[in-house]
Amino acid sequence: MRKTQWFNFRSLFQKPSLTSSIKPRPFNAYSFVPFSPLAMLDPTILTIGGIVLGTAFTERMLERLGVIDLADQFEKVMRFILPVTFYGALFYFFATFMF
């Protein structure tokens, strides 16, 4: 027959362990959102933004030169084009952005 070893559970759990039985393992951490501010420098986005800013600048210059009728026509067109361009560029940015 085998010899059985007896021990008391209370004395087992009261003794602090001097060495840790769990060894730390190195791990690699990866980012789930690889967002970079340089992604905003897309040439298409910059071109669309430049066209919109150029048109707004032209409207302001026409207004200062006194050509109010032409500036009003620019304003009517830009009232529609600016939101469409903004949401189109936003959609394009997120559609071509690699997640």
Side-chain angles (χ1 to χ4, degrees):
M1 288 193 64
R2 275 182 137 170
K3 185 176 181 182
T4 313
Q5 181 181 2
W6 292 90
F7 56 91
N8 188 358
F9 277 106
R10 288 184 184 168
S11 64
L12 178 71
F13 287 114
Q14 287 177 354
K15 293 179 184 177
S17 176
L18 296 177
T19 60
S20 175
S21 61
I22 300 172
K23 295 180 180 177
R25 294 182 299 167
F27 64 96
N28 294 330
Y30 297 100
S31 174
F32 292 107
V33 183
F35 183 74
S36 171
L38 297 177
M40 296 285 199
L41 296 178
D42 185 24
T44 307
I45 299 292
L46 291 176
T47 303
I48 292 171
I51 290 170
V52 169
L53 285 176
T55 309
F57 182 72
T58 304
E59 177 194 350
R60 292 295 172 203
M61 289 305 293
L62 287 173
E63 192 175 282
R64 285 186 184 176
L65 290 174
V67 190
I68 304 298
D69 295 335
L70 195 55
D72 286 339
Q73 294 298 325
F74 265 92
E75 181 184 354
K76 288 177 185 176
V77 171
M78 291 302 288
R79 190 178 294 168
F80 174 74
I81 289 179
L82 281 176
V84 171
T85 307
F86 172 74
Y87 289 118
L90 193 66
F91 177 76
Y92 173 80
F93 175 74
F94 283 115
T96 59
F97 184 65
M98 300 300 292
F99 283 102

